């Protein structure tokens, strides 16, 4: 009987313990994200949909909400994926032999990238369509009412949708790459079909980021201006409070005396307007009580930070455009093995890595602001305790598409040198020089155009308001100025 090879056993035992440790860490991270997303979604859901008389409807909405929570947790994980990888690399560079960070290694990071890719596919292709069909289903005709009948109908609809999408991908693959190998590879569902379909979805997400991010970068200045207290030179809170109180009193009189007006009144609309005015007045009261430091220092510093971050983003993209013309290594590419802790992915070291992380988060927030500010998606904007279940599903799908495209978006623009791990680097269009170059040029041009237009319009409006020119009886453009005789009359 041969003696056991203790070296082989020790290596296998060590690998086994490393896999168990990575599973525990991944589970803890996902559980944390899931709890945060569940708390977030419960603040926006409509309580009436979960306390209905029909128990089946309430159960269906609860199941759909849990699926949305799972999808939103994956979206948040996709946002944190690239920043977490960059920070982990710098930590391993700074503390290479620290005992307490031995759990942080390339295998863990590579596994997190693969898990996010897998569950993003699962959420976009199966879970979210299932949640939507589940909430809209009523069961087949003649079947028993209940949750089980809705499940049967949802499964049938999902199978038909899967066949439709599979056929569309088959046709698209035959048109783009008309050879026998590409058509036969479609039979391999996991190795070709899902990555190819996710590549198309990611490309749409990157295009959506291209449109929403410049719009959001321009909107960030106005959104920040609404949240912070402006200096007295730029804002007269006393006048706003007086106007708000006057409008509130007028609406109150109309609600109390509905018969005094000869026009029919929409009382529900009037009550909503009154509630909005009261909320606005409370916010104005809080802003009036702000300290001089918040008023005179907070607003200029916030505007300066936004201007620096936006200008730095455009500058990095412009430098990356020049690098694309000179060096082929500037093209985004995938990396199969995560070799962390060997070299910094920024020329400025740890400081540059922190700047990269801040820029990635800033662009993601700007893209979300631009997404909800665009006229096409403005109706999807969630409302506090008044968001329908189908609207929550739509928001989760859109946020997942945006967030899962964020690593590809950041690497394509040259915001970081961290190469894409796992299946994120297998997208065919990443190797096309013309697509990458035109994408960078379009982003720089659109961002500059939006900023120039918004900034000049905002400065012009603030100067007019500061000097009181908005109160002058200026004529409306397009109409002739009234004669002096008419004005005296």
């Amino acid at each position: 009987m041969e003696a056991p090879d203790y070296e082989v056993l020790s290596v296998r035992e060590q690998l086994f313990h490393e896999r168990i440790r990575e599973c525990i860490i991944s589970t803890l991270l996902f559980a944390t994200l899931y709890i945060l997303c569940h708390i977030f979604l419960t603040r926006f859901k409509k309580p009436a949909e979960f306390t209905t008389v029909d128990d089946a409807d309430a159960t269906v909405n609860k199941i759909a909400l849990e699926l949305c929570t799972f999808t939103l947790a994956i979206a948040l994980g996709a946002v944190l994926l690239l920043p977490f990888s960059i920070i982990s690399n710098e930590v391993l560079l700074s503390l290479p032999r620290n005992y307490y960070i031995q759990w942080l290694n390339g295998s863990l990071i590579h596994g997190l990238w693969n898990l996010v890719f897998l569950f993003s596919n699962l959420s976009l292709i199966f879970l979210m369509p299932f949640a939507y069909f589940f909430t809209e289903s009523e069961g087949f005709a003649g079947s028993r009412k209940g949750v089980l009948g809705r499940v049967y109908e949802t499964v049938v609809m999902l199978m038909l949708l899967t066949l439709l999408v599979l056929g569309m991908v088959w046709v698209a693959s035959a048109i783009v790459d008309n050879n026998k190998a590409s058509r036969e590879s479609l039979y391999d569902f996991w190795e070709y079909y899902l990555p190819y379909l996710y590549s198309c979805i990611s490309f749409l997400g990157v295009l959506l980021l291209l449109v929403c991010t410049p719009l959001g970068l321009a909107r960030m200045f106005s959104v920040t201006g609404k949240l912070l207290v402006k200096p007295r030179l730029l804002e007269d809170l006393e006048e706003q409070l007086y106007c708000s109180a006057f409008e509130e009193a007028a609406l109150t009189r109309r609600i109390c005396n509905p018969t005094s007006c000869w026009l029919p009144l929409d009382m529900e609309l009037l009550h909503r307007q009154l509630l909005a005015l009261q909320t606005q007045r409370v916010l104005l009261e809080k802003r009036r009580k702000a300290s001089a430091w918040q008023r005179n220092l907070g607003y200029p510093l916030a505007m300066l930070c936004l201007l620096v971050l936006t200008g730095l983003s455009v500058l990095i993209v412009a430098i990356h455009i020049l690098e694309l013309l000179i060096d082929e290594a500037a093209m985004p590419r995938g990396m199969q093995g995560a070799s962390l802790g060997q070299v910094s992915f920024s020329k400025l070291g740890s400081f540059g890595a922190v700047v990269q992380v801040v820029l990635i988060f800033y662009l993601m927030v700007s893209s979300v602001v631009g997404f909800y500010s665009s006229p096409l998606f403005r109706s999807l904007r969630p409302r506090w305790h008044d968001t329908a279940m189908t609207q929550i599903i739509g928001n989760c799908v859109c946020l997942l598409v945006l967030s899962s495209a964020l690593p590809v978006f950041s690497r394509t623009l040259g915001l970081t040198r961290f190469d894409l791990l796992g299946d994120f680097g297998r997208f065919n269009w990443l190797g096309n020089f013309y697509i990458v170059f035109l994408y960078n040029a379009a982003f720089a041009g659109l961002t500059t155009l939006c900023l120039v237009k918004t900034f000049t319009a905002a400065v012009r409006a603030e100067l007019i308001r500061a000097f009181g020119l908005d109160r002058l009886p200026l004529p409306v453009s397009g109409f002739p100025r009234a004669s002096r005789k008419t004005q005296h009359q």
Side-chain angles (χ1 to χ4, degrees):
M1 182 176 181
E2 295 182 0
D5 193 347
Y6 292 103
E7 290 188 7
V8 175
L9 290 177
S10 62
V11 171
R12 291 179 179 177
E13 186 177 354
Q14 184 179 0
L15 289 175
F16 174 76
H17 288 300
E18 287 181 358
R19 296 294 181 267
I20 295 297
R21 182 177 59 192
E22 292 172 6
C23 291
I24 294 174
I25 293 172
S26 303
T27 304
L28 290 176
L29 290 175
F30 177 75
T32 304
L33 296 179
Y34 187 89
I35 293 172
L36 293 176
C37 293
H38 183 77
I39 295 173
F40 179 76
L41 285 181
T42 52
R43 298 294 182 271
F44 288 95
K45 70 178 184 179
K46 188 181 293 186
E49 293 185 346
F50 296 85
T51 57
T52 57
V53 179
D54 190 358
D55 294 335
D57 290 338
T59 304
V60 167
N61 289 328
K62 289 178 182 178
I63 295 174
L65 184 65
E66 296 302 323
L67 294 177
C68 290
T69 305
F70 180 87
T71 302
L72 192 60
I74 297 300
L76 185 56
V79 172
L80 299 175
L81 194 59
L82 188 57
F84 181 73
S85 302
I86 295 173
I87 295 297
S88 300
N89 181 70
E90 297 302 323
V91 170
L92 292 175
L93 275 175
S94 303
L95 305 170
R97 301 191 179 186
N98 194 312
Y99 174 76
Y100 296 100
I101 61 170
Q102 293 299 315
W103 57 272
L104 192 62
N105 50 35
S107 178
L108 174 65
I109 302 299
H110 194 272
L112 291 176
W113 280 73
N114 287 333
L115 286 175
V116 169
F117 182 85
L118 173 63
F119 289 122
S120 297
N121 277 288
L122 183 65
S123 299
L124 284 174
I125 300 172
F126 295 107
L127 296 185
M128 285 296 95
F130 179 85
Y132 177 76
F133 291 137
F134 198 37
T135 54
E136 296 294 323
S137 63
E138 297 181 357
F140 290 113
S143 62
R144 296 179 59 183
K145 298 295 182 181
V147 178
L148 194 59
R150 296 186 176 189
V151 171
Y152 291 153
E153 182 184 354
T154 305
V155 170
V156 171
M157 292 295 297
L158 193 60
M159 291 176 61
L160 293 176
L161 179 65
T162 304
L163 292 176
L164 177 63
V165 174
L166 181 61
M168 293 174 63
V169 172
W170 186 290
V171 173
S173 175
I175 294 175
V176 175
D177 190 11
N178 190 16
N179 57 59
K180 186 178 180 180
S182 65
R183 290 193 297 269
E184 289 180 352
S185 61
L186 276 172
Y187 291 107
D188 196 343
F189 186 79
W190 294 102
E191 291 294 328
Y192 184 82
Y193 171 64
L194 284 182
Y196 185 84
L197 182 59
Y198 191 76
S199 175
C200 299
I201 297 174
S202 178
F203 185 69
L204 293 177
V206 171
L207 291 180
L208 190 60
L209 285 173
L210 177 62
V211 177
C212 295
T213 306
L215 180 61
L217 290 173
R219 284 280 299 169
M220 285 292 288
F221 292 91
S222 59
V223 171
T224 307
K226 293 178 182 178
L227 297 176
L228 299 178
V229 182
K230 298 180 182 179
R232 295 187 183 276
L233 175 65
L234 302 177
E235 185 177 45
D236 190 356
L237 288 178
E238 297 294 337
E239 181 182 357
Q240 294 183 24
L241 280 170
Y242 176 77
C243 294
S244 179
F246 182 78
E247 293 177 2
E248 185 179 345
L251 276 177
T252 305
R253 285 196 301 269
R254 293 184 67 184
I255 292 174
C256 295
N257 301 314
T259 58
S260 61
C261 183
W262 60 275
L263 291 175
L265 298 178
D266 189 354
M267 300 303 296
E268 184 179 355
L269 177 61
L270 292 178
H271 281 290
R272 286 202 301 267
Q273 292 177 353
L274 181 62
L275 182 61
L277 284 173
Q278 291 174 350
T279 305
Q280 180 184 3
R281 182 171 53 82
V282 171
L283 293 177
L284 289 174
E285 290 285 352
K286 291 181 179 179
R287 296 177 67 180
R288 186 175 63 173
K289 296 177 182 178
S291 63
W293 289 99
Q294 293 177 344
R295 185 184 302 276
N296 299 321
L297 189 62
Y299 180 80
L301 284 179
M303 291 293 115
L304 182 61
C305 289
L306 291 179
L307 190 60
V308 169
L309 290 175
T310 307
L312 188 60
S313 302
V314 177
L315 180 62
I316 290 176
V317 175
I319 295 174
H320 187 243
I321 292 175
L322 297 178
E323 291 179 348
L324 287 173
L325 297 174
I326 299 172
D327 190 6
E328 187 179 355
M331 288 287 294
R333 62 180 185 274
M335 180 172 57
Q336 295 302 322
S339 56
L340 298 181
Q342 297 182 3
V343 62
S344 178
F345 292 99
S346 174
K347 296 179 180 179
L348 300 178
S350 300
F351 176 75
V354 173
V355 172
Q356 290 177 2
V357 171
V358 172
L359 287 178
I360 290 171
F361 281 127
Y362 176 62
L363 290 181
M364 184 61 200
V365 173
S366 301
S367 64
V368 173
V369 172
F371 176 80
Y372 287 115
S373 301
S374 61
L376 186 60
F377 302 104
R378 192 173 298 168
S379 58
L380 275 177
R381 189 181 303 173
R383 295 180 297 274
W384 194 263
H385 290 300
D386 193 27
T387 308
M389 196 64 238
T390 53
Q391 193 174 356
I392 292 177
I393 295 172
N395 278 277
C396 291
V397 170
C398 294
L399 290 177
L400 181 58
V401 171
L402 289 175
S403 60
S404 60
L406 181 64
V408 183
F409 173 76
S410 303
R411 185 62 185 91
T412 305
L413 293 180
L415 298 177
T416 179
R417 296 292 182 182
F418 193 92
D419 290 323
L420 302 172
L421 295 177
D423 291 322
F424 281 93
R426 292 175 56 186
F427 301 152
N428 296 329
W429 58 269
L430 287 176
N432 193 314
F433 170 79
Y434 298 102
I435 293 179
V436 175
F437 179 79
L438 291 176
Y439 189 87
N440 282 262
F443 178 83
L446 288 175
T447 304
T448 305
L449 181 64
C450 291
L451 285 176
V452 169
K453 183 178 179 181
T454 303
F455 187 71
T456 54
V459 170
R460 184 170 62 251
E462 294 294 348
L463 290 176
I464 291 174
R465 191 179 297 110
F467 290 104
L469 298 178
D470 57 332
R471 303 187 188 94
L472 296 178
L474 298 177
V476 180
S477 60
F479 293 92
R481 183 187 296 269
S483 62
R484 188 170 301 176
K485 181 179 178 181
T486 308
Q487 291 179 358
H488 285 301
Q489 291 177 355

